[in-house]
């Protein structure tokens, strides 16, 4: 069995675990592109000690390139835990990230996210040069 057999997907507008990738559909070669990736954009995902998103990773797969390139991995480490007990802490992180990248090839942005209860999820978005 391959790890790809364990990765779940779907439409982020209907499934709260699927990363929503927001960026322009068409970008200029070698210009910085701002990307926002979040979970629960259409249907809120819990953010509790017991049920939360641990991390989001982002990759870019240029057309006609053998490799996929990791753009970043973003961890979310505070979900209300404290010595007082679950969900009693003063700090929560939100499962949302914004970053920039540039490319000189069209390709596909990929994002994976990990829910501590429901596992690994993915989505993708095509980016053209224009």
């Amino acid at each position: 069995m391959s790890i790809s057999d364990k990765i779940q997907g779907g439409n982020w507008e209907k499934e709260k675990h699927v990363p929503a990738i927001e960026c322009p559909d068409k970008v200029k070669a070698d210009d910085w592109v701002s990307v926002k990736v979040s979970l629960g954009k259409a249907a809120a995902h819990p953010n509790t000690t017991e049920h939360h998103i641990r991390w989001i990773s982002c990759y870019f797969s240029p057309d006609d390139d053998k490799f996929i390139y990791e753009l970043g991995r973003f961890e979310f480490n505070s979900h209300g835990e404290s010595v007082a007990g679950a969900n009693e802490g003063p700090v929560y992180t939100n499962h949302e990230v914004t970053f920039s990248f540039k490319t000189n090839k069209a390709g596909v942005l990929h994002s994976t996210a990990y829910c501590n209860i429901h596992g690994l999820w993915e989505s993708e978005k095509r980016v053209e040069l224009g």
Side-chain angles (χ1 to χ4, degrees):
M1 179 176 290
S2 168
I3 191 171
S4 63
D5 297 327
K6 299 291 186 181
I7 301 173
Q8 305 169 80
N11 182 333
W12 64 262
E13 294 174 335
K14 297 180 180 168
E15 171 53 61
K16 63 187 168 195
H17 293 93
V18 177
I21 302 171
E22 299 176 71
C23 72
D25 296 333
K26 191 177 277 192
V27 302
K28 292 182 181 178
D30 294 319
D31 274 4
W32 289 106
V33 178
S34 183
V35 178
K36 178 179 173 183
V37 180
S38 61
L39 278 86
K41 182 175 174 166
H45 187 281
N47 189 12
T48 64
T49 305
E50 301 85 6
H51 187 186
H52 56 267
I53 300 299
R54 293 226 177 123
W55 52 259
I56 295 172
S57 289
C58 298
Y59 308 86
F60 187 70
S61 177
D63 290 350
D64 302 320
D65 198 313
K66 178 179 178 181
F67 298 105
I68 190 166
Y69 297 87
E70 183 178 30
L71 301 176
R73 180 179 168 105
F74 312 93
E75 296 187 18
F76 308 101
N77 298 320
S78 295
H79 309 284
E81 55 275 272
S82 78
V83 294
N87 304 306
E88 297 296 324
V91 179
Y92 292 79
T93 50
N94 187 32
H95 31 263
E96 173 181 299
V97 62
T98 302
F99 66 95
S100 297
F101 83 109
K102 62 182 176 177
T103 182
N104 59 15
K105 287 188 173 183
V108 178
L109 273 169
H110 300 269
S111 183
T112 55
Y114 185 76
C115 173
N116 72 315
I117 300 291
H118 298 107
L120 192 56
W121 295 79
E122 72 175 342
S123 67
E124 62 183 45
K125 180 177 174 148
R126 178 109 189 122
V127 176
E128 298 290 349
L129 292 184

